[in-house]
Amino acid sequence: MHPTCNRILLLILFLQCTLISLAQTFISDMEQMKWEKVAPGIWKTTIGEMDLNPLDYSAPSKTQALTDLGDPAFPFNMEATLSQKTKERIVVRLPLGEQEKIYGLGLEFESINRRSNVYTLKVDHYGGVKGYTHAPVPFYISSEGYGVLINSAKRVKIHVGVGNRKDSHLPPYVDRTTGGSAWQARPTSDAVEASIQGEGLEVYVFSGASPLEVVQRYNLFCGGGVLPPKWGLGFWHRMHTQSSDEDVLQEIRDFEENNFPLSVIGLEPGWQSFAYPCSFDWDTTRFPDPKGFLNTMTDRGIKINLWENPYVAPTSTMYDPIKPYTGSHTVWLGEVPDYTIPEAREVLLDHHQKNHLDIGVSGYKFDEVDGYDQWLWPDHATFPSGYDAVEIRQLYGTIIQNTFTEHFRKQNQRTYGLVRSSYVGASNQSFVIYSDYYGHKGYVTALVNSSLAGILWTPEIRSANSSEEWVRRFQTVCFSPLMMLNAWSSGLKPWSFPEVTDIVRENIELRIRLMPYLYTAFHTYEQQGVPPFRAMVLEKGFESTTKKVGGTLDDVKNPYAEQALLEVTDQYMMGPSILVAPVFTGETERKVVLPAGNWYDFYSGALVGNGETITIQPTLDKIPLFVKDGALIPMLSTLDVEDTDQTLEVRYYGTKPGSFRLYNDDGNSFDYESGEFTITDLAVSVKKNKLKGTQKVSNDLGYGYKQVEWVWIGR
Ligand code: GAL
C-alpha cells in the first residue's frame, strides 16, 4: 500500500477512536465503571461506600464449581458501563441491545418479560407498584447470555430499556409522522438504568454461554443451591391455627386412615401463647407437654414445623433479653429486633434452641417479614445498629433465613422451611417462599420467575371453590419445591373433596415416587446451581415465543396504542427432562410450547411433538407432563423414600441413547460434603432399535439401588 494511503487510514482510525471516546464521554456527567474480576466469568464494580451488604448474608461461593463452568469473556462493551454519584443518588447505566430480552428482577406473578418497564424493587406483599414483592431480587438476565446484579440493601429503582437520555449514542428510531404506525408510547432505549438513594452499591456482571449458565454462575456465587432433607420433599400439612396436640394426633390418624402420605405437620399461630406479636413460647392449654408431643411425633416419623413472625410480645420469655437490641418502632405493639446485631441473633437462636429445637422441632415458617407499610416500621425508624430502616426491612427475611440455615448446618442437620421474604444471595438458604396472593396462574408464573432469581417458591394449596380447582391446584403443588396444603384457615384435608380424593392421592404419590429423580435435581442445584424448577427460557432449544401482540389505537381501551408481549409463563421444567404444563380450572385444553427435539407424553410414552406448539385436551386426573428424547426417569416402586432395597423403576423415553447419574445420601445431614453419598450410573444404549439398560453403583455406602426394573415406556 502507498505510504500516503497508510497515513490516511491511520488518520481515519484515529478520528474514529476519538469520535467513539467522545461519544462515550459525551454521556456527560457519568463516569466509566472500573471492573474487577472476582471469579471466572464474574466481574464487580464498587461505587461509593455500602452500608449493609446483602451478600454478607449468603453462603460462601462455590469456587471449584465456578471454575468448572469455564472462564468466558466480559459479555458486553465495558466502555458503555457508566455510573454517577449525585447528592441524593447513585446511578448506573448499562448497555442494552435492541433485540435483547431481559428476565429476572425477582418474584413476579404476572409476566417474565422485564423490558420496557420501571421497577421499584421493594420487599413487600406482592402488587401495588411494579417491583413490590416478597423477593424483589435486583438481578436480571439477558437472552444474550449475561446477568447483572445491583447489589444494595436499598430499594433499587430500575428502568429496563425505557427512559432515553438526550446524549445517548444509540438513540431509538423515531417516527415523526402524525399517527405513524411506528410511534411508541415507551420508545425503546439502549440502556438499563438503575439507581438507589444511598451512599454506595456494587454491580456484578455474570457471563455465560446461555441464560442457564448465567443463572448457574449467580447461584454458585451465592453458595450454590440448597439440598433439602428428604423429608422436606414429602407431603406437608399445615394445621388449622387453633389446633391442639390432640388435634394433631387425630390428624395423623386420619391421614393413615385415608391412606395419604404425610411427612411434615405445620403448626400455625395457635401453638404459641401469643402470636401477633409472638411469644415464641408454647401455649400450654393447647400443648401442655411440648416435649412429650415432639417425642410422639418423632416416633410417628412426622416432622414439626413452627409458624412465627419476628415481632416480640411483652409476654415472651425472649422479651427481656432481646429488648436492648430492638428498634424505635413496634409492630402490632411488639418489639422489632435488629438482627444485624450478632448478639440479637444469639438471643433468638438460644431461645429457639432451648424451647423448640432441643425437643425435636425440624424448622420454621417465618411469616410477616415482608410488608405492608401500614403494619411494619416506617422508613425513618431507627435501629440500635445504626443501619437504615429501609435496608433492615429489605434484608429482614434474608438475615433470619441465614441465621437459621447456618445454625442448622452447625448441628450437621438439614432443615427446610418457609419464609415470606427473600432477597439477594438466597439460593443456599433452606427456605421456600410463599404468599397470601392466591391466583393459581400467578402462582405458576411465580414458580417460573423464582428460577430466575435464585429462590424457591411454593404454590401452596389452601382451599378451592370446586373439586376441579382442588385437583388442579393440588397437581401444581405436587410439581413444585414444596408440596403443601396450608389449611391454617380452611381446616381442609386432602380428602375434603371426596369425589376427587383418589386423584389427589395419586398425584401426591406420583410426586413421592419421583423422589430419586427430584432429589438428584436438587443435588444438581446444590452442586452446579441449576434450578430444579426452571423457566422455559432457561431451556436449551426453547425459542421464546415472546412476540408483540395487540396495540390497536382505541381512545377508550388503549389510547396510547401500547403493545403487550406474549410470553410463556404457564409451563416449566422440573429436573433435567420433565416439562410440566399445569392446567387451570375451567380449561378443557391448553397449549404447550415444546423446545426443539422429540417430546413424549410422560404417562403413555407417545411422541407428542418437536420444537412446536401443541394443543392438548388434558383429563382431570393427570397434570400434563412431557419428557425429552433419551430421558431416564428413576422412580421408587414404593412410597418409602428411605428404602434402597426396593426395586427402582427406571422409565426410558424416546429413541436416543441416554444416561442419568442418580444421587443419593442419608437425606438428613451434611455428611455428603465429606463424600458420604452414592452415585448410581444409569444408562441406556440403543443398537438397531434394541434398548439395553445398565446400572453401576459407585462409592457404595448403602445409598445405591441395586435392583432396577427398566420400563421401556410406550414401546
Ligand atoms: C398469614 C400467612 C398464612 C398463615 C396466616 C396465619 O400471614 O401468610 O400462611 O400462616 O398468616 O395467621
Side-chain angles (χ1 to χ4, degrees):
M1 195 185 291
H2 192 277
T4 329
C5 291
N6 237 339
R7 248 172 268 138
I8 292 170
L9 264 179
L10 276 175
L11 187 69
I12 292 173
L13 207 68
F14 170 76
L15 279 175
Q16 257 180 358
C17 289
T18 321
L19 280 177
I20 287 172
S21 64
L22 269 180
Q24 303 293 354
T25 47
F26 196 58
I27 300 279
S28 46
D29 41 1
M30 301 195 86
E31 268 178 41
Q32 244 175 50
M33 289 182 185
K34 291 182 187 64
W35 295 95
E36 164 203 354
K37 194 168 179 176
V38 289
I42 307 176
W43 294 261
K44 171 186 167 184
T45 192
T46 309
I47 302 152
E49 249 181 64
M50 280 182 91
D51 217 4
L52 262 179
N53 187 340
L55 285 171
D56 286 347
Y57 300 95
S58 77
S61 299
K62 279 213 154 57
T63 43
Q64 186 56 48
L66 279 171
T67 308
D68 294 347
L69 261 190
D71 193 8
F74 194 86
F76 45 78
N77 179 10
M78 253 187 208
E79 291 185 355
T81 62
L82 304 167
S83 72
Q84 181 184 42
K85 204 164 183 294
T86 68
K87 224 168 87 209
E88 297 286 330
R89 290 186 170 76
I90 295 188
V91 188
V92 297
R93 187 174 204 274
L94 299 153
L96 183 67
E98 206 183 333
Q99 298 306 320
E100 275 179 61
K101 291 165 189 149
I102 299 293
Y103 307 110
L105 298 183
L107 195 73
E108 239 265 3
F109 292 67
E110 279 152 73
S111 61
I112 61 166
N113 161 59
R114 297 285 160 267
R115 274 202 80 131
S116 303
N117 237 318
V118 182
Y119 302 83
T120 301
L121 300 173
K122 174 178 180 237
V123 167
D124 209 319
H125 272 67
Y126 177 68
V129 178
K130 276 227 169 276
Y132 279 29
T133 182
H134 308 282
V137 187
F139 169 63
Y140 65 84
I141 301 143
S142 161
S143 54
E144 294 297 301
Y146 70 86
V148 174
L149 169 67
I150 313 282
N151 186 36
S152 168
K154 301 282 188 198
R155 292 168 196 151
V156 176
K157 186 153 187 186
I158 183 158
H159 297 241
V160 189
V162 276
N164 278 280
R165 282 190 71 108
K166 290 195 296 187
D167 50 7
S168 152
H169 50 278
L170 271 178
Y173 165 75
V174 189
D175 179 2
R176 302 218 184 269
T177 53
T178 308
S181 61
W183 185 87
Q184 284 182 296
R186 308 180 210 193
T188 310
S189 88
D190 62 341
V192 171
E193 291 186 352
S195 69
I196 57 147
Q197 272 185 299
E199 294 297 313
L201 56 71
E202 294 172 346
V203 184
Y204 287 86
V205 167
F206 299 82
S207 212
S210 62
L212 176 61
E213 203 181 293
V214 171
V215 167
Q216 283 181 263
R217 249 192 203 95
Y218 170 75
N219 289 340
L220 290 172
F221 186 67
C222 304
V226 60
L227 178 65
K230 263 190 216 164
W231 55 259
L233 299 176
F235 189 74
W236 291 54
H237 180 73
R238 302 203 76 85
M239 300 291 297
H240 186 273
T241 184
Q242 276 157 19
S243 307
S244 66
D245 53 359
E246 274 306 316
D247 297 328
V248 174
L249 277 170
Q250 187 55 46
E251 199 89 327
I252 294 172
R253 284 193 286 270
D254 290 347
F255 265 76
E256 280 165 5
E257 211 158 278
N258 285 280
N259 212 5
F260 269 85
L262 179 63
S263 184
V264 185
I265 285 273
L267 301 182
E268 287 288 316
W271 72 268
Q272 290 177 72
S273 52
F274 208 80
Y276 283 87
C278 287
S279 68
F280 313 99
D281 296 323
W282 293 89
D283 177 291
T284 48
T285 58
R286 294 193 186 104
F287 293 88
D289 174 19
K291 191 166 188 297
F293 168 70
L294 262 304
N295 284 343
T296 314
M297 292 299 110
T298 308
D299 292 347
R300 296 289 196 118
I302 303 293
K303 300 287 179 193
I304 292 294
N305 174 286
L306 300 180
W307 171 101
E308 60 183 51
N309 65 56
Y311 314 114
V312 189
T315 51
S316 167
T317 56
M318 211 179 92
Y319 185 79
D320 287 339
I322 202 73
K323 189 120 204 303
Y325 311 110
T326 53
S328 60
H329 287 66
T330 58
V331 174
W332 302 305
L333 306 178
E335 300 283 328
V336 182
D338 182 343
Y339 286 128
T340 65
I341 301 174
E343 288 81 359
R345 297 203 291 271
E346 278 308 308
V347 171
L348 176 74
L349 288 175
D350 188 53
H351 177 279
H352 283 52
Q353 184 64 43
K354 283 191 192 126
N355 294 283
H356 319 143
L357 302 176
D358 276 349
I359 59 171
V361 165
S362 72
Y364 296 92
K365 164 176 168 179
F366 295 115
D367 206 25
E368 310 293 356
V369 282
D370 40 11
Y372 299 103
D373 281 5
Q374 59 274 31
W375 290 354
L376 298 198
W377 57 93
D379 293 355
H380 58 263
T382 57
F383 283 90
S385 61
Y387 287 124
D388 180 17
V390 167
E391 298 187 51
I392 290 194
R393 163 126 172 227
Q394 202 80 342
L395 294 192
Y396 217 93
T398 305
I399 296 178
I400 291 185
Q401 287 181 67
N402 183 244
T403 304
F404 280 91
T405 299
E406 281 187 355
H407 185 70
F408 273 91
R409 172 175 267 278
K410 279 190 199 137
Q411 329 281 318
N412 193 23
Q413 190 193 338
R414 281 182 250 165
T415 184
Y416 202 42
L418 293 137
V419 69
R420 224 173 54 194
S421 86
S422 201
Y423 198 57
V424 170
S427 58
N428 193 254
Q429 316 287 357
S430 315
F431 292 87
V432 179
I433 304 166
Y434 64 98
S435 174
D436 282 338
Y437 171 102
Y438 199 55
H440 187 187
K441 271 197 178 162
Y443 270 18
V444 174
T445 304
L447 184 51
V448 169
N449 274 317
S450 64
S451 66
L452 303 163
I455 50 174
L456 296 174
W457 158 259
T458 175
E460 63 172 34
I461 177 159
R462 295 181 167 197
S463 60
N465 292 318
S466 66
S467 52
E468 182 195 356
E469 187 188 343
W470 190 243
V471 169
R472 291 312 190 193
R473 283 184 178 270
F474 245 110
Q475 289 170 336
T476 304
V477 89
C478 288
F479 287 81
S480 81
L482 198 146
M483 169 168 61
M484 181 171 75
L485 167 55
N486 179 10
W488 75 276
S489 154
S490 69
L492 293 178
K493 328 281 176 201
W495 50 89
S496 286
F497 291 80
E499 62 277 31
V500 292
T501 295
D502 289 343
I503 296 182
V504 170
R505 189 189 298 106
E506 278 160 23
N507 279 274
I508 295 174
E509 288 181 357
L510 175 59
R511 147 71 176 244
I512 293 174
R513 289 186 57 211
L514 280 164
M515 179 72 95
Y517 174 83
L518 189 57
Y519 195 59
T520 302
F522 270 98
H523 161 70
T524 312
Y525 184 37
E526 194 262 338
Q527 288 287 310
Q528 294 167 33
V530 177
F533 294 85
R534 292 186 303 289
M536 295 310 299
V537 292
L538 297 181
E539 193 54 26
K540 208 169 143 210
F542 181 83
E543 257 315 297
S544 165
T545 52
T546 306
K547 61 175 187 242
K548 296 223 167 167
V549 290
T552 326
L553 190 71
D554 165 337
D555 66 355
V556 180
K557 285 198 191 121
N558 197 0
Y560 301 103
E562 290 217 303
Q563 296 187 320
L565 278 169
L566 200 65
E567 32 177 12
V568 179
T569 55
D570 60 356
Q571 60 176 75
Y572 52 89
M573 295 298 298
M574 170 171 118
S577 316
I578 300 179
L579 188 162
V580 185
V583 181
F584 305 103
T585 313
E587 283 182 2
T588 50
E589 59 174 43
R590 66 154 291 166
K591 290 195 182 334
V592 182
V593 186
L594 301 170
N598 281 346
W599 288 83
Y600 300 85
D601 181 273
F602 171 83
Y603 305 94
S604 69
L607 175 68
V608 291
N610 178 338
E612 62 191 298
T613 300
I614 57 167
T615 302
I616 54 167
Q617 280 87 27
T619 52
L620 184 65
D621 56 336
K622 293 185 173 65
I623 179 166
L625 302 173
F626 303 98
V627 185
K628 275 183 194 171
D629 196 355
L632 273 62
I633 312 287
M635 294 173 68
L636 301 176
S637 49
T638 74
L639 297 181
D640 184 349
V641 298
E642 305 295 341
D643 177 19
T644 49
D645 287 335
Q646 68 183 295
T647 303
L648 185 76
E649 177 182 317
V650 184
R651 297 192 183 185
Y652 166 82
Y653 292 83
T655 53
K656 284 187 183 169
S659 63
F660 192 97
R661 299 212 85 190
L662 178 61
Y663 172 85
N664 202 10
D665 61 17
D666 68 18
N668 265 311
S669 75
F670 288 91
D671 290 351
Y672 65 87
E673 290 182 343
S674 39
E676 286 281 317
F677 59 84
T678 297
I679 296 286
T680 308
D681 273 303
L682 302 163
V684 167
S685 61
V686 188
K687 266 195 202 122
K688 293 196 188 130
N689 205 25
K690 273 228 148 111
L691 304 173
K692 188 169 170 257
T694 52
Q695 73 265 19
K696 193 175 138 256
V697 178
S698 48
N699 198 27
D700 192 1
L701 297 167
Y703 309 119
Y705 297 86
K706 284 157 211 99
Q707 296 179 54
V708 170
E709 187 198 339
W710 294 93
V711 182
W712 313 119
I713 201 139
R715 292 205 172 216

